[in-house]
Amino acid sequence: MLGFLLQRLASAMVVLVVMSVIVFAGVYAIGNPIDVLINPAADQITRAETIARYGLDRPFWEQYARFAGSLIAGDFGTSFVFNTPALPLILAKLPATLELALSAMLIAIVFGIPLGMLAGLRPNAASSQAIMAGSILGFSLPTFWVGLMLILVFSVELGWLPSGGRGETVMVGGIAWSFLTVDGLAHLVLPALNLALFKLSLIIRLTRAGMRETMPADFVRFARAKGLSPLRVVCVHAFRNILIPIVTVLGLEFGSVVAFAVVTETIFSWPGMGKLIIDSILTLDRPVMVAYLMLVVAMFVVINLVVDLGYAALDPRVRLGAR
């Protein structure tokens, strides 16, 4: 297992290096931030001084070499717009995005797995057909439209929940959390539900497919022949077998929820990383964009590593294969 872990860490380092080149090249090709930062009426001396200050007058390879050296030292550069270090600026917004993403994944898991198991155990029942029809709607409806409908129904028409913002927060460990207060929890419900809808549909269909494939298997028949209760057969023997693809999808989808929560955060005015990255793209704030993308890449690498280690805990055959 130690050798497997070291091999994956080495692969992760290669991925980070390659992605740093791709990310920096992509951001470099977007445009010249000087056109946004400097007043068009500024004289040539001011323009030249600003370009030299940010190092934008140097060739691409030299800019990347400086970026890579700073990255190794833990410095992601200074924001052109806010004039503060880019990484702390992003990390200050990260708790809000993580809170929203974790809430959305919790909703998807708590409701998606039981509904998927029910649909897989009784595929021809009316309830199962209704569950699958709902999952199709979850895949088909655009996130921005669902968010607007949630605001219209639950905020405007019924007045049950607030339409936007994060609400009241509580400081725990030096980090502000909103789910620990009633007002913050009320603000969290609609954006979390909107963000969870697609993931909920995905987990329902994945769990259903796994149950339909697993229930006719020999080990399930053997468990029934031993006289085990149907609940134990389903919840212990069958469920553990379908967990591997579910863990894979949950790990990758959590990373995508964090990375692509931009639409939900914009609709509900949620003060997370999504709004910050949109503002940075509009102002061509390269250090913030690069720091955000590298943070997302590192997050996906870590999640993949955790998923692989989870395989070994769930399936002994993975551990034997590693040996």
Side-chain angles (χ1 to χ4, degrees):
M1 186 59 68
L2 180 60
F4 171 75
L5 181 60
L6 293 176
Q7 180 183 1
R8 290 310 305 267
L9 288 175
S11 301
M13 293 303 298
V14 174
V15 170
L16 288 175
V17 171
V18 173
M19 287 305 300
S20 69
V21 177
I22 296 175
V23 166
F24 192 83
V27 173
Y28 181 87
I30 288 177
N32 188 0
I34 294 301
D35 296 334
V36 178
L37 296 175
I38 298 181
N39 191 322
D43 55 46
Q44 291 298 322
I45 296 177
T46 303
R47 186 179 180 87
E49 289 177 351
T50 306
I51 292 175
R53 185 195 316 150
Y54 291 118
L56 299 175
D57 56 338
R58 304 185 182 186
F60 168 77
W61 65 268
E62 189 173 345
Q63 290 190 40
Y64 174 75
R66 292 182 60 190
F67 163 73
S70 300
L71 195 64
I72 294 173
D75 181 13
F76 285 78
T78 301
S79 169
F80 296 161
V81 176
F82 298 97
N83 198 28
T84 57
L87 186 59
L89 188 64
I90 293 175
L91 293 180
K93 303 288 186 179
L94 181 60
T97 299
L98 284 180
E99 185 177 45
L100 179 60
L102 288 171
S103 301
M105 292 303 296
L106 183 62
I107 292 173
I109 293 170
V110 169
F111 291 98
I113 292 179
L115 291 175
M117 292 177 68
L118 178 61
L121 291 173
R122 303 174 58 192
N124 297 321
S127 58
S128 300
Q129 298 296 328
I131 291 172
M132 297 311 297
S135 69
I136 293 174
L137 285 176
F139 278 122
S140 305
L141 297 177
T143 302
F144 71 90
W145 184 85
V146 174
L148 294 176
M149 290 302 102
L150 289 175
I151 293 174
L152 179 63
V153 173
F154 293 101
S155 298
V156 178
E157 297 295 334
L158 299 177
W160 290 353
L161 296 168
S163 61
R166 198 180 178 194
E168 184 182 355
T169 59
V170 173
M171 298 296 294
V172 176
I175 300 174
W177 302 102
S178 62
F179 74 95
L180 297 175
T181 66
V182 175
D183 181 63
L185 194 60
H187 282 78
L188 180 62
V189 171
L190 289 184
L193 182 61
N194 182 54
L195 192 59
L197 186 60
F198 182 86
K199 312 305 177 187
L200 173 64
S201 303
L202 181 63
I203 293 176
I204 287 175
R205 300 185 73 87
L206 184 65
T207 306
R208 176 183 180 272
M211 290 301 296
R212 295 202 65 181
E213 182 180 354
T214 302
M215 292 308 293
D218 292 338
F219 70 91
V220 174
R221 294 179 179 177
F222 181 73
R224 287 173 172 169
K226 287 172 60 178
L228 299 179
S229 66
L231 184 62
R232 181 174 177 81
V233 171
V234 172
C235 295
V236 177
H237 295 274
F239 179 64
R240 184 172 182 178
N241 191 71
I242 67 173
L243 269 182
I244 288 183
I246 293 176
V247 167
T248 304
V249 171
L250 287 179
L252 297 177
E253 290 301 318
F254 176 72
S256 68
V257 166
V258 175
F260 305 116
V262 178
V263 175
T264 298
E265 291 185 355
T266 303
I267 293 173
F268 292 93
S269 300
W270 190 262
M273 295 191 302
K275 187 176 185 304
L276 176 64
I277 193 62
I278 289 295
D279 294 339
S280 300
I281 292 173
L282 293 176
T283 57
L284 293 178
D285 196 348
R286 283 183 186 173
V288 175
M289 287 190 287
V290 172
Y292 173 81
L293 293 173
M294 288 305 301
L295 182 64
V296 170
V297 170
M299 187 181 303
F300 271 98
V301 169
V302 172
I303 288 173
N304 274 302
L305 180 60
V306 172
V307 167
D308 287 341
L309 295 178
Y311 286 165
L314 292 171
D315 193 345
R317 292 172 296 179
V318 176
R319 293 195 292 269
L320 291 174
R323 294 195 189 100

